[in-house]
Amino acid sequence: MNIRTLQADDLQRLLTFELDNRDWFEQHVEARAPAFYTPDGVAAHIADYLSEHAAGRVHPCVLTSDDGAVIVGRANLRRIDRAAGSGEVGYRIAHDHARQGLGSLALAHLLELARSRYGLRMLNAWISPHNLGSRRIVEKYGFTRDVLAAPHVAQVNGVAHASHLYQCHL
């Protein structure tokens, strides 16, 4: 597996990844708008992320097969605030690549980016109590739950799901 920064020419690979895993992701996270799942929707998404990357606010990554032909995951360092020394991490792994250590690989990559490229001191992650795998991964890398932070509530298949804030001091 390889991890690299998202590129404009990832459009078809990213659209395939998102379409192939849509049902899987929507079991765990808030659904994207239907317009996202089109070539124009994904192109706009990539353009937005690359613009935010150029501005230093986001570092979007993709996990690919060894030959780079297939995207098997995404990993993003978001809400980068160098003045505050903080950012937020998130990742998605394809259903048929789950439980193969790719979430750990993605988070390790994001932690390294946060430290070495952006000089961040604190990272946040929002984890649903239903997502035991992600909770184990973030805890393995030193994240702890902030029990004082109010949960973030999202609608997942019409049901309110709360995610809890986990933080890691770098």
Side-chain angles (χ1 to χ4, degrees):
M1 290 298 142
N2 294 310
I3 301 178
R4 62 168 173 75
T5 302
L6 179 70
Q7 300 168 357
D9 69 355
D10 283 324
L11 192 150
Q12 190 56 51
R13 287 181 292 274
L14 186 57
L15 178 58
T16 299
F17 167 77
E18 293 289 352
L19 286 170
D20 288 352
N21 293 285
R22 182 178 185 176
D23 292 340
W24 165 247
F25 294 146
E26 289 181 2
Q27 292 176 31
H28 306 286
V29 295
E30 196 166 9
R32 295 182 186 273
F36 172 82
Y37 296 98
T38 65
D40 288 343
V42 171
H45 175 79
I46 290 172
D48 180 52
Y49 268 53
L50 294 181
S51 172
E52 289 292 300
H53 180 248
R57 293 186 288 266
V58 170
H59 196 115
C61 301
V62 291
L63 289 79
T64 69
S65 56
D66 289 334
D67 64 3
V70 178
I71 292 176
V72 298
R74 299 187 64 183
N76 297 308
L77 180 58
R78 303 179 299 228
R79 295 184 175 89
I80 297 169
D81 183 340
R82 288 184 176 190
S86 65
E88 182 178 295
V89 295
Y91 52 87
R92 308 176 162 222
I93 305 299
H95 185 244
D96 60 350
H97 285 82
R99 296 176 187 80
Q100 295 178 16
L102 298 183
S104 291
L105 182 69
L107 185 56
H109 183 76
L110 296 176
L111 286 165
E112 180 58 28
L113 281 174
R115 285 185 190 106
S116 64
R117 183 162 183 173
Y118 297 99
L120 303 183
R121 299 179 307 279
M122 167 75 77
L123 287 179
N124 299 318
W126 290 93
I127 308 292
S128 164
H130 303 287
N131 193 340
L132 299 177
S134 281
R135 189 181 82 205
R136 280 193 289 272
I137 291 168
V138 298
E139 288 175 346
K140 177 173 88 171
Y141 283 92
F143 284 74
T144 56
R145 182 172 166 201
D146 182 340
V147 296
L148 300 177
H152 169 77
V153 179
Q155 294 295 315
V156 179
N157 290 322
V159 177
H161 280 253
S163 292
H164 301 287
L165 178 63
Y166 284 75
Q167 296 184 311
C168 179
H169 296 275
L170 303 177

